[in-house]
Amino acid sequence: MNLEVLIKSSNVLFLLLGAIMIFAMHAGFAFLEVGSVRTKNQINALVKIISDWAVSTVVYFLIGFPMARGISFLKPASKLIGDNMGFDLIRFFFFLTFAACIPAIISGGIAERAKFWPQVFAGAIFAGILYPFFESIIWGINSTFVQGLIKNITGFEFVDYAGSVVVHSFGGWLALPAILILGPRKNRYNSNNPIPISNVPFLALGSWILSVGWFGFNVMSAVELKDISGLVAINSLASMVGGILVSLLLSKRDAIFIHNGALAGLVAVCAGSAIYHPIGAFVVGGIAAAIFVYGFHFETEVLKIDDVLGVVVLHGVVGSWGGIAAGIFGSTLFGGLGNVSFFAQLIGSSLAIIIALFGGSIVYLVIDKLFGFRLEEEKEIEGADLAIHSLEAYPDKF
Amino acid sequence: MNLEVLIKSSNVLFLLLGAIMIFAMHAGFAFLEVGSVRTKNQINALVKIISDWAVSTVVYFLIGFPMARGISFLKPASKLIGDNMGFDLIRFFFFLTFAACIPAIISGGIAERAKFWPQVFAGAIFAGILYPFFESIIWGINSTFVQGLIKNITGFEFVDYAGSVVVHSFGGWLALPAILILGPRKNRYNSNNPIPISNVPFLALGSWILSVGWFGFNVMSAVELKDISGLVAINSLASMVGGILVSLLLSKRDAIFIHNGALAGLVAVCAGSAIYHPIGAFVVGGIAAAIFVYGFHFETEVLKIDDVLGVVVLHGVVGSWGGIAAGIFGSTLFGGLGNVSFFAQLIGSSLAIIIALFGGSIVYLVIDKLFGFRLEEEKEIEGADLAIHSLEAYPDKF
Amino acid sequence: MNLEVLIKSSNVLFLLLGAIMIFAMHAGFAFLEVGSVRTKNQINALVKIISDWAVSTVVYFLIGFPMARGISFLKPASKLIGDNMGFDLIRFFFFLTFAACIPAIISGGIAERAKFWPQVFAGAIFAGILYPFFESIIWGINSTFVQGLIKNITGFEFVDYAGSVVVHSFGGWLALPAILILGPRKNRYNSNNPIPISNVPFLALGSWILSVGWFGFNVMSAVELKDISGLVAINSLASMVGGILVSLLLSKRDAIFIHNGALAGLVAVCAGSAIYHPIGAFVVGGIAAAIFVYGFHFETEVLKIDDVLGVVVLHGVVGSWGGIAAGIFGSTLFGGLGNVSFFAQLIGSSLAIIIALFGGSIVYLVIDKLFGFRLEEEKEIEGADLAIHSLEAYPDKF
């Protein structure tokens, strides 16, 4: 084995480890939702996440990845391996794990009252077409034009190292029209009792799985081993910790907010994780958690938008904050590496919101018109597990 | 550090990551069974898996690995490290994780009514002697003769890259005589109500843990970093996804079948994972899931074989399908890399079935004769947790 | 990319993988405690572990790591990356995961009746000051003096490869004064019924997560990839397996002891994992499990010390045993690599006990004096989840 071979094989291993870690995060999405819904909707959460993953893989393989990155795999296996041990296939796997986050994020917002197949169908459109379109103009084959435009205006390209904006805010804002079209769960705002969640340990398990896998998200966004940066890892850690501590204090030790606060910090840090100072990242994550704690209350209690897991805030608003924060705390003024512009970040972050809200509205309105998006009332009362999946989560009562 | 040292240390890390990932899969086996049995037998599932792991380690260290690979570790520690940083020790760990799958697979089939120690004893014989024997003739020090014979007949060696046949079908078919000798659980076929499973989220957690770890199974079967292949990873993904989608459709969104369908795809893909085109792998996994959905019903309802987790189908039949599928979808006709023969695959796959059925029958008949294999009726009714382990899974009722 | 860059980036990846694996272990600490307490205290376990992690990160970043290793990060991000891709930052992350084990270990001993913030405060002092002090004199910038002294006396330095003594025994012995000052849980010794644990599967899940991550603990203690040793991995495995088998036999198949027995083996093996023969490691782990099975009974039933998870035995006594065992089974007499002295091990292990008992007593006595350490009686009866966190673990009863 010579150096050339070692470099190539190390790159395959490096990016594959990232892909596997983010794949594992989908179990985290599943358990976060399992814990956050009522017992009668736990199976629905599990089946949505794994099905969306599978559908995302197919559409991103056939349409999304070729669209975003200009590489198609419709040729014999011998050509797929090429001279780099199939590195392009691993790039597909890695970026698929990003694309598949979109339906997984939305899933938590529309929980407990959406029909199954329309939800899957929307996810397929997002992972196969709409997300890859946005991916292509920010990171992919069409990024020259959009990034060039932003650079012409602000002097710098829009920085989103690991997807605060491209993945999280895009997914979170896509969920808003879906949630509005569905409307709140039955009795969500009719009584004084909030709808109870079912299982805090499962929610915490989901958060832990997501947090651990997230290091694959951020660190392996280097794509090649030579570009690995210890700073990315420590900034991810610092922002997560900022998120935990601020939510601990603001929520008065509420386990739900704390375990989501860690995620808020991680959502926010992605964009600028390669350029913050760790203390800057800590502040970014702390603010993210504050946005989540107050924003979730504002969204669900003041605006009365029934976003079950708070994904519009956790991924949408906090993701946008992450994009903008890179333009503030990434600057040398705050000890960051600089080469980033607040206005470039504002433009890029706004672009995601606009496209997501617009695209999401069209897709969900059409789906609602064609198939009906909301589960029938008696099925919602019965619970999605029995109504859709003919199965209870715990058949052997104890 | 020079290139030589870097290569050696990278190889140790590479294979060790695979070993750790497959070791983690054993937690997946445990939770898949915990979720699939009644609440009164959950602890038994946990203890069986961890105990079988420990016993397998001992017997494979002392007997199995030396037998299959010709390397013994009964020499001072200084000699174990050798000049490659203990790479042989890591090879032992890696292939141990394969051997230890055998009792873990069987465990799910014989759940809820087997005695504890006879089950452990059978596992020890399989992981220590019978599996290493089969390993040695297909992959190990005695493979020259058997693979040579197959090559003489068919023109090609029998291909099993990561163990569809050597590990999964072997374990699955070994379980059949055990299940038949035990007979069905009390009241399994006396009433109209099937015996309920206890916990779908735990079952799903088990499936997720297995799916994530499986990438270690397939990718690290390269053994050395220089032989890593992105194609192996993507084929594993594609087959898993095929399994998810087909079981989703055929089972009408049943969470149990879907989470097992992912595993069916992964069992089937191992053998040909290095030679399929991803679309071929997708089809192989889809067929695997169809085999599981219909085969499980056929086995347990038509043949009335009480295979609790369906392991004879999931690992046995689907593993054999994986072996044969490599001879079909691995060919260049289906975009694969070729150099594989349908008949060689048929011979190798059949060999595993014959040896497993024959060996398993002898071992379990002797055990049944000597100690009695089936739990006493009153203990089965009480549940294995209290009867064998003097403990309930949830002592603090809530 | 040249060899230099590949080596540097591989080192960052190697140590980061270790850090991530040990970070994941903290989910294991959480679920081990969730399963081992009553249902009314599960959330408290979850919040303690994640909060202690966050607080440990802050104090170890600002005080602990600079104190133990002489490196501060209070400079611009550009300087943090340096010429080795931020390797020092990853060293911080890696050793943070060790420091953060201290409050996580103590947490299990003081479960179900400690006030929240005093517990957090004590953890901050340990992770930020007391542990880094001990780290500095054994492994860090002040080790020359202490290790030199031990070498002068015994001819060899004190060996603790991965922290049996520095991490586990130190944390375990710190817990003893805390447990004594708190006193037993209400009704722990007033009735004939022991206080029931809530959830064996969660306990087992915690044990599995810890066991898998532990390979990061031991293997990545090499710090640089070139120093990786297959022997460390296999010794960890062997000691864990010894722990499983001995606890299986001694406890009569009790799932709680078996899943803790695996951990006992892993605690004990850390110190000598680089020098044992695997069979020696197996014996060390087996003895560790025997110590735990009998020691836990002796501590909690004879001495009537209400150590909920048995951490004084599991981490304290067994950790000390691990330190001493390295001086026995690490010798060439038992097939080990040698270069280790029984007396050096005895001195180092004793030093940890003395400093931990002394430091822990002072810290907890002061905290008890200043704030009161024990939860008010009515809150303990109500349960920490509702009393401290205003939340039940399973709000949607089923």
Side-chain angles (χ1 to χ4, degrees):
Chain A
M1 176 151 75
N2 58 29
L3 181 60
E4 191 67 20
V5 172
L6 182 61
I7 290 171
K8 285 180 181 176
S9 52
S10 295
N11 278 336
V12 170
L13 176 63
F14 174 67
L15 197 59
L16 177 60
L17 289 175
I20 294 170
M21 288 171 75
I22 315 177
F23 169 52
M25 287 173 68
H26 284 77
F29 281 117
F31 279 89
L32 195 73
E33 186 172 335
V34 164
S36 303
V37 298
R38 283 166 291 182
T39 310
K40 65 181 177 184
N41 294 311
Q42 288 186 342
I43 286 176
N44 186 237
L46 292 167
V47 176
K48 282 193 299 178
I49 297 294
I50 194 171
S51 303
D52 284 340
W53 169 267
V55 170
S56 297
T57 303
V58 172
V59 294
Y60 193 72
F61 183 87
L62 294 175
I63 309 171
F65 189 72
M67 192 170 144
R69 307 285 172 164
I71 298 172
S72 165
F73 299 120
L74 301 179
K75 48 192 170 186
S78 54
K79 303 235 166 125
L80 295 183
I81 297 178
D83 68 344
N84 55 10
M85 303 169 177
F87 187 69
D88 281 341
L89 291 164
I90 302 296
R91 280 183 68 217
F92 155 73
F93 189 4
F94 185 72
F95 289 117
L96 160 65
T97 63
F98 285 45
C101 285
I102 304 293
I105 289 167
I106 297 169
S107 177
I110 61 175
E112 305 206 272
R113 80 283 202 194
K115 281 188 185 166
F116 183 75
W117 289 114
Q119 180 269 137
V120 171
F121 184 62
I125 292 174
F126 298 145
I129 299 173
L130 197 64
Y131 168 81
F133 164 72
F134 193 63
E135 183 189 2
S136 83
I137 65 171
I138 302 296
W139 288 340
I141 52 174
N142 300 314
S143 63
T144 326
F145 175 70
V146 176
Q147 291 282 17
L149 211 66
I150 296 176
K151 194 170 181 179
N152 275 347
I153 301 170
T154 68
F156 291 93
E157 294 196 347
F158 167 65
V159 171
D160 188 6
Y161 188 74
S164 289
V165 172
V166 177
V167 179
H168 291 282
S169 93
F170 200 72
W173 289 110
L174 275 174
L176 182 56
I179 294 166
L180 292 175
I181 288 168
L182 277 179
R185 288 166 293 173
K186 192 171 161 61
N187 292 327
R188 173 64 179 85
Y189 295 112
N190 299 352
S191 77
N192 288 321
N193 301 322
I195 292 178
I197 74 169
S198 58
N199 197 312
V200 177
F202 277 151
L203 182 158
L205 178 64
S207 168
W208 271 105
I209 296 173
L210 285 163
S211 299
V212 171
W214 217 295
F215 286 89
F217 222 117
N218 291 5
V219 173
M220 278 68 171
S221 280
V223 179
E224 293 190 41
L225 180 55
K226 70 174 166 53
D227 296 322
I228 194 173
S229 159
L231 187 61
V232 170
I234 270 48
N235 282 339
S236 306
L237 170 67
S239 188
M240 177 185 76
V241 162
I244 293 168
L245 290 179
V246 169
S247 53
L248 172 68
L249 293 172
L250 293 184
S251 78
K252 302 219 173 84
R253 305 166 297 284
D254 181 306
I256 304 171
F257 279 108
I258 298 167
H259 286 88
N260 277 294
L263 304 180
L266 288 162
V267 166
V269 81
C270 295
S273 57
I275 57 175
Y276 294 135
H277 186 278
I279 296 177
F282 179 85
V283 175
V284 169
I287 294 172
I291 292 172
F292 181 65
V293 172
Y294 293 123
F296 180 68
H297 183 265
F298 184 75
E299 181 195 16
T300 58
E301 297 302 331
V302 180
L303 298 182
K304 294 200 185 305
I305 297 172
D306 186 18
D307 179 357
V308 181
L309 270 71
V311 301
V312 176
V313 182
L314 184 61
H315 298 271
V317 182
V318 169
S320 301
W321 158 243
I324 293 163
I328 305 169
F329 292 93
S331 69
T332 51
L333 182 69
F334 289 95
L337 294 184
N339 284 321
V340 68
S341 145
F342 175 79
F343 290 105
Q345 298 306 109
L346 195 63
I347 293 171
S349 304
S350 306
L351 206 59
I353 299 175
I354 294 164
I355 296 177
L357 288 181
F358 187 73
S361 299
I362 291 175
V363 168
Y364 283 112
L365 282 172
V366 170
I367 282 178
D368 195 35
K369 199 84 183 170
L370 288 181
F371 316 109
F373 189 28
R374 175 132 189 169
L375 202 58
E376 295 81 359
E377 189 177 350
E378 71 278 11
K379 291 190 176 177
E380 184 183 344
I381 294 169
E382 187 184 15
D385 291 2
L386 277 173
I388 296 178
H389 308 284
S390 311
L391 189 66
E392 286 179 284
Y394 309 94
D396 180 35
K397 297 286 190 308
F398 60 96
Chain B
M1 174 151 76
N2 59 30
L3 181 58
E4 191 67 20
V5 172
L6 183 60
I7 289 171
K8 286 180 179 174
S9 53
S10 296
N11 278 336
V12 170
L13 177 61
F14 173 67
L15 196 60
L16 177 61
L17 289 175
I20 294 170
M21 289 171 75
I22 314 178
F23 169 52
M25 287 174 67
H26 284 78
F29 281 117
F31 279 90
L32 194 73
E33 185 172 334
V34 164
S36 302
V37 297
R38 282 166 292 182
T39 309
K40 65 182 175 182
N41 294 310
Q42 289 187 342
I43 285 177
N44 186 237
L46 292 167
V47 176
K48 281 192 299 177
I49 296 294
I50 195 171
S51 303
D52 284 339
W53 168 268
V55 170
S56 297
T57 303
V58 172
V59 294
Y60 194 73
F61 183 86
L62 294 175
I63 308 170
F65 189 72
M67 191 171 143
R69 308 283 172 168
I71 297 172
S72 163
F73 300 122
L74 301 180
K75 47 193 172 187
S78 54
K79 302 234 166 125
L80 296 182
I81 296 178
D83 69 344
N84 55 9
M85 301 168 176
F87 186 69
D88 281 339
L89 291 165
I90 302 297
R91 281 183 69 218
F92 155 72
F93 190 2
F94 185 73
F95 289 116
L96 160 66
T97 63
F98 285 45
C101 285
I102 303 292
I105 289 167
I106 298 169
S107 176
I110 61 174
E112 306 206 90
R113 79 283 200 196
K115 280 188 186 166
F116 183 75
W117 288 113
Q119 180 270 138
V120 171
F121 184 62
I125 292 173
F126 297 145
I129 299 172
L130 197 63
Y131 167 81
F133 164 72
F134 193 63
E135 182 189 3
S136 81
I137 65 171
I138 302 296
W139 288 340
I141 51 173
N142 301 313
S143 62
T144 325
F145 174 71
V146 175
Q147 291 281 18
L149 210 68
I150 296 176
K151 195 171 180 179
N152 275 347
I153 301 170
T154 68
F156 290 95
E157 294 196 348
F158 166 65
V159 171
D160 188 6
Y161 189 74
S164 289
V165 172
V166 177
V167 179
H168 292 282
S169 92
F170 200 73
W173 289 111
L174 274 175
L176 182 55
I179 295 166
L180 292 175
I181 288 168
L182 278 179
R185 288 166 292 173
K186 193 173 159 57
N187 292 326
R188 173 63 180 87
Y189 295 113
N190 299 352
S191 78
N192 287 321
N193 301 322
I195 292 178
I197 74 169
S198 58
N199 196 312
V200 178
F202 277 151
L203 183 158
L205 178 64
S207 169
W208 271 105
I209 295 173
L210 285 164
S211 299
V212 171
W214 218 295
F215 286 90
F217 223 117
N218 290 4
V219 173
M220 277 69 170
S221 280
V223 178
E224 293 190 41
L225 180 54
K226 70 176 167 49
D227 295 321
I228 194 172
S229 158
L231 187 60
V232 170
I234 271 49
N235 282 340
S236 306
L237 171 66
S239 188
M240 178 185 75
V241 162
I244 294 168
L245 290 179
V246 168
S247 53
L248 172 67
L249 294 172
L250 293 185
S251 77
K252 303 219 173 82
R253 306 167 296 285
D254 180 308
I256 304 172
F257 279 108
I258 299 167
H259 287 87
N260 277 294
L263 304 181
L266 287 162
V267 165
V269 81
C270 295
S273 57
I275 57 174
Y276 293 135
H277 186 279
I279 296 177
F282 179 84
V283 176
V284 169
I287 294 173
I291 292 173
F292 181 66
V293 172
Y294 293 123
F296 181 68
H297 182 265
F298 184 75
E299 181 195 17
T300 57
E301 298 301 331
V302 180
L303 298 181
K304 295 201 186 304
I305 296 172
D306 186 18
D307 179 358
V308 181
L309 270 71
V311 301
V312 175
V313 181
L314 183 61
H315 297 271
V317 182
V318 168
S320 300
W321 157 244
I324 293 163
I328 305 170
F329 291 93
S331 69
T332 51
L333 182 69
F334 289 94
L337 294 185
N339 285 321
V340 68
S341 146
F342 175 79
F343 290 104
Q345 298 306 110
L346 196 61
I347 293 171
S349 304
S350 305
L351 206 58
I353 299 175
I354 294 164
I355 296 177
L357 288 181
F358 187 74
S361 298
I362 291 176
V363 168
Y364 283 112
L365 282 172
V366 170
I367 282 177
D368 195 36
K369 200 81 183 172
L370 288 181
F371 316 110
F373 189 26
R374 174 130 189 170
L375 204 57
E376 295 80 359
E377 189 178 348
E378 71 277 12
K379 291 190 177 177
E380 183 182 343
I381 294 169
E382 187 185 17
D385 291 3
L386 277 174
I388 296 177
H389 308 282
S390 312
L391 190 65
E392 287 177 283
Y394 310 94
D396 180 34
K397 298 284 189 310
F398 60 97
Chain C
M1 174 150 78
N2 57 30
L3 181 60
E4 191 66 20
V5 172
L6 183 60
I7 290 172
K8 285 179 179 175
S9 53
S10 295
N11 278 336
V12 170
L13 176 61
F14 173 68
L15 197 59
L16 178 60
L17 289 175
I20 295 170
M21 289 172 75
I22 314 178
F23 169 52
M25 286 174 68
H26 284 79
F29 281 118
F31 279 89
L32 194 73
E33 184 172 336
V34 164
S36 302
V37 298
R38 282 164 293 182
T39 310
K40 65 182 177 183
N41 294 310
Q42 288 186 341
I43 286 177
N44 186 237
L46 292 166
V47 175
K48 280 192 300 177
I49 296 294
I50 194 171
S51 303
D52 284 339
W53 168 267
V55 169
S56 297
T57 304
V58 172
V59 295
Y60 194 72
F61 183 87
L62 295 176
I63 308 170
F65 189 72
M67 193 170 142
R69 307 286 173 165
I71 297 171
S72 163
F73 300 121
L74 301 178
K75 47 193 172 187
S78 55
K79 303 232 166 127
L80 296 183
I81 296 178
D83 68 343
N84 56 8
M85 302 168 177
F87 186 69
D88 280 341
L89 292 165
I90 301 298
R91 281 182 70 216
F92 155 71
F93 190 3
F94 185 73
F95 289 116
L96 160 66
T97 63
F98 285 45
C101 285
I102 303 294
I105 289 167
I106 298 170
S107 177
I110 61 175
E112 306 205 271
R113 81 282 202 195
K115 281 188 184 166
F116 183 75
W117 289 113
Q119 180 269 138
V120 171
F121 183 63
I125 291 173
F126 297 144
I129 299 171
L130 196 63
Y131 168 80
F133 164 72
F134 193 62
E135 182 188 3
S136 82
I137 65 171
I138 301 295
W139 288 339
I141 51 173
N142 301 314
S143 62
T144 326
F145 174 70
V146 175
Q147 291 282 17
L149 211 65
I150 296 176
K151 194 169 181 179
N152 275 347
I153 301 170
T154 69
F156 290 95
E157 294 196 347
F158 167 63
V159 171
D160 188 6
Y161 189 74
S164 289
V165 171
V166 177
V167 179
H168 292 281
S169 93
F170 199 73
W173 288 110
L174 275 174
L176 182 57
I179 293 166
L180 292 175
I181 289 168
L182 278 180
R185 288 166 293 173
K186 192 172 162 58
N187 292 327
R188 173 63 180 86
Y189 295 112
N190 299 350
S191 76
N192 288 322
N193 302 322
I195 292 178
I197 75 169
S198 58
N199 197 312
V200 178
F202 277 151
L203 182 158
L205 179 64
S207 169
W208 272 105
I209 296 173
L210 286 163
S211 299
V212 171
W214 218 295
F215 286 90
F217 222 117
N218 291 3
V219 173
M220 278 69 170
S221 280
V223 178
E224 293 189 42
L225 179 55
K226 71 175 166 50
D227 295 322
I228 194 172
S229 159
L231 187 61
V232 170
I234 269 49
N235 282 338
S236 306
L237 169 66
S239 187
M240 178 185 75
V241 162
I244 294 169
L245 290 179
V246 168
S247 53
L248 171 67
L249 293 172
L250 293 185
S251 77
K252 301 218 174 84
R253 306 167 298 283
D254 180 308
I256 304 172
F257 279 108
I258 299 167
H259 286 89
N260 276 294
L263 305 180
L266 287 161
V267 165
V269 81
C270 294
S273 56
I275 57 174
Y276 293 135
H277 186 279
I279 296 177
F282 178 84
V283 175
V284 169
I287 294 173
I291 292 172
F292 180 66
V293 172
Y294 293 122
F296 181 67
H297 183 265
F298 184 75
E299 181 194 17
T300 58
E301 298 303 331
V302 179
L303 298 181
K304 295 199 185 303
I305 297 171
D306 187 17
D307 179 357
V308 181
L309 271 72
V311 302
V312 175
V313 181
L314 184 61
H315 298 271
V317 182
V318 169
S320 300
W321 157 242
I324 294 163
I328 304 170
F329 291 93
S331 68
T332 51
L333 181 69
F334 290 93
L337 293 185
N339 284 321
V340 68
S341 145
F342 175 78
F343 290 103
Q345 297 306 108
L346 194 64
I347 293 171
S349 304
S350 305
L351 206 57
I353 299 174
I354 294 164
I355 297 176
L357 288 181
F358 187 73
S361 299
I362 292 176
V363 169
Y364 283 112
L365 282 172
V366 170
I367 282 176
D368 195 37
K369 199 84 184 171
L370 288 181
F371 316 109
F373 189 27
R374 174 132 189 169
L375 204 57
E376 295 80 0
E377 188 177 349
E378 71 276 12
K379 291 190 176 177
E380 183 182 342
I381 295 169
E382 187 184 15
D385 291 1
L386 277 173
I388 296 178
H389 308 284
S390 311
L391 189 66
E392 286 177 284
Y394 309 93
D396 180 35
K397 297 287 188 309
F398 60 99

